[in-house]
Amino acid sequence: MTQRVLINATLATCANSDEPYGLIQKGAVAIGDELVEWCGSQDKLPLQFKNYKKQNCDGKLLTPSLIDCHTHIVHAGHRANEFEQRLTGISYQQIAASGGGIVSTVSATRSANVDELVKLSLPRVDALLSEGVAVIEIKSGYGLDTDTELNMLRAARRLASIRPVKIKTSFLGAHAIPIEFKARPDAYIDEICIPALAQAHDENLVDAVDGFCESIAFTSTQIEKVFQKAKNLSLPVKLHAEQLSLCGGAQLAAKFNALSADHLEYLDEAGVRALAKAGTVAVLLPGAFYTLGEKQLPPVSLLRKYKVPIAIASDCNPGSSPMSSLLLTMNMACTIFRLTPEEALLGVTLRAAQALGLKRYGQISEGCVADFALWDCSHPAELSYRIGFNPLIERITC
Ligand code: DI6
Ligand code: FE
């Protein structure tokens, strides 16, 4: 990026600050070499930036570009039939037990090649990009065999080469028990999941390792084996934990110093304490809560009490959260989970970056990556408050 200064911005820096949102009225940001060189109040702009080219933000809201830190965006097929079933009162768990759910997306995904997976995922990626998203985490987990798990990750990497987006991949081989291993989950972990992880790592396809610790998926003992392998490969871990019941996933995540523990509706106080001690980010996924008509809310007050950082994400997937909007996620996080609009914005910027182990993203401050979203808004709470409306003017990037 050529050197320039953005001036006259309502700056929500999302950086640690005494001001809510890290807000700076009449702010300026100096950019050079793809990084933020300076940011602050415009009348304090240091002399050395005075001859930089100026871009006037006309008082509009400037935030860091957004980060969706939990998605299953690469997949084939849809599960609208299950949506119909759930509306007649059949539960997500019942659908999974009768051979639907995740394993039905597995069949569709196994039938697609990498080109097709990219083509099918692109409109969902584009929907996020149109809302100022610059970083997307993408999981495998609809292959459950080596070839398809790797193909999903290859598709994820390809997406980063054809769109202006940073992709962080997570290997989610321990997502569900495939039909061919139905009675032998331990054998699946040993014979498929762990070797596939090693192979994906060899091809540089894996940035982190995830698992689904739940009564309809894997026990914490089974996931621990996968995490041990991740540790041997020096890969960070994250975990779908306590989504549908309390299974001890948070403790397991904490034991491995996980980057994040995600969902967490059934998390208890001991689990919150464990996450706090480990510095693990709690990623809340209101789209899944909403879609499944859940009743048990995540323990937001306890997370605040123990100062566990809270991120939010779309969980974009064909079953429990067919949602490709981070703005709607922010609205739901406030309206349903009672997050403040400030927590929601930090949840898709600073905290989401932390959940992905990205130190220089998700905030506007010196030394951070210069990648911003300019909105037709005058107050940052507007981003959470509107429903089904996208006020993005442009993404400003290097
Ligand atoms: N929890 C989720 O929200 C997704 N995976 C998981 O472990 C849902 C996946 C699906 O239903 O397809
Ligand atoms: Fe998920």
Side-chain angles (χ1 to χ4, degrees):
M1 187 191 278
T2 50
Q3 295 175 328
R4 58 180 150 153
V5 190
L6 309 177
I7 54 164
N8 196 16
T10 301
L11 263 184
T13 65
C14 299
N16 280 324
S17 139
D18 293 337
E19 284 301 314
Y21 303 95
L23 202 63
I24 302 171
Q25 301 288 351
K26 283 209 178 303
V29 188
I31 308 162
D33 286 335
E34 306 190 352
L35 298 177
V36 173
E37 295 190 330
W38 183 87
C39 107
S41 176
Q42 192 167 303
D43 20 289
K44 301 210 177 95
L45 184 71
L47 261 180
Q48 75 240 52
F49 303 115
K50 294 258 154 94
N51 56 354
Y52 278 24
K53 194 170 160 234
K54 305 252 178 337
Q55 179 174 346
N56 195 328
C57 295
D58 294 325
K60 307 285 189 197
L61 176 69
L62 190 77
T63 68
S65 50
L66 307 187
I67 300 172
D68 196 347
C69 68
H70 178 142
T71 87
H72 308 251
I73 217 164
V74 169
H75 60 261
H78 67 81
R79 308 229 296 272
N81 54 329
E82 293 178 12
F83 178 58
E84 290 182 324
Q85 283 178 290
R86 282 198 309 278
L87 288 170
T88 69
I90 304 173
S91 75
Y92 184 70
Q93 289 95 317
Q94 285 167 327
I95 291 169
S98 60
I102 293 173
V103 297
S104 84
T105 299
V106 169
S107 309
T109 304
R110 283 180 180 176
S111 325
N113 60 33
V114 177
D115 289 346
E116 287 162 340
L117 288 174
V118 169
K119 193 169 170 218
L120 289 165
S121 308
L122 211 45
R124 298 186 281 267
V125 169
D126 285 341
L128 289 176
L129 295 186
S130 74
E131 294 184 340
V133 171
V135 182
I136 305 175
E137 186 261 11
I138 299 180
K139 302 175 195 301
S140 68
Y142 291 123
L144 312 183
D145 63 26
T146 304
D147 287 351
T148 319
E149 284 295 305
L150 267 66
N151 279 347
M152 289 184 72
L153 296 169
R154 290 181 187 120
R157 289 274 191 253
R158 175 100 56 87
L159 288 164
S161 70
I162 56 178
R163 285 293 187 268
V165 63
K166 184 177 183 66
I167 302 284
K168 293 290 272 183
T169 58
S170 299
F171 175 85
L172 180 55
H175 192 197
I177 304 156
I179 294 162
E180 61 276 18
F181 280 91
K182 200 164 193 285
R184 299 189 304 133
D186 291 303
Y188 170 73
I189 295 287
D190 294 337
E191 293 167 26
I192 305 292
C193 185
I194 291 176
L197 168 57
Q199 205 174 317
H201 175 71
D202 280 349
E203 281 191 38
N204 194 23
L205 293 171
V206 187
D207 298 323
V209 174
D210 198 346
F212 187 18
C213 185
E214 190 56 64
S215 54
I216 57 168
F218 295 97
T219 64
S220 55
T221 314
Q222 288 160 342
I223 304 251
E224 181 156 2
K225 271 182 145 178
V226 184
F227 279 7
Q228 199 54 56
K229 180 70 186 178
K231 195 171 168 188
N232 296 342
L233 297 171
S234 303
L235 290 169
V237 302
K238 38 184 54 247
L239 188 64
H240 287 67
E242 334 292 12
Q243 179 188 5
L244 307 166
S245 60
L246 182 64
C247 291
Q251 316 282 354
L252 175 66
K255 181 170 166 187
F256 282 81
N257 292 310
L259 287 173
S260 71
D262 304 38
H263 284 286
L264 302 173
E265 280 83 345
Y266 286 82
L267 181 66
D268 64 2
E269 187 157 358
V272 176
R273 267 196 248 111
L275 295 182
K277 195 150 170 250
T280 298
V281 177
V283 178
L284 305 184
L285 304 167
F289 179 93
Y290 166 86
T291 301
L292 300 183
E294 294 293 330
K295 299 283 178 289
Q296 170 98 13
L297 288 160
V300 170
S301 311
L302 285 174
L303 294 170
R304 287 181 183 133
K305 176 174 163 191
Y306 288 97
K307 301 197 170 14
V308 176
I310 300 174
I312 57 174
S314 71
D315 196 15
C316 175
N317 77 67
S320 64
S321 189
M323 176 159 82
S324 310
S325 168
L326 214 42
L327 290 173
L328 182 55
T329 301
M330 292 168 74
N331 175 268
M332 285 179 172
C334 296
T335 304
I336 304 175
F337 289 170
R338 313 311 289 178
L339 259 57
T340 65
E342 184 189 8
E343 287 171 323
L345 181 58
L346 293 180
V348 294
T349 53
L350 183 68
R351 302 312 186 192
Q354 199 178 336
L356 296 178
L358 290 171
K359 294 210 164 60
R360 297 196 299 173
Y361 285 77
Q363 55 182 303
I364 306 179
S365 62
E366 215 178 295
C368 286
V369 170
D371 200 323
F372 320 113
L374 184 66
W375 309 92
D376 191 9
C377 299
S378 56
H379 192 283
E382 283 181 69
L383 296 176
S384 295
Y385 142 82
R386 294 196 189 277
I387 306 170
F389 179 73
N390 178 3
L392 185 75
I393 297 169
E394 62 171 321
R395 177 174 155 205
I396 299 175
T397 180
C398 356

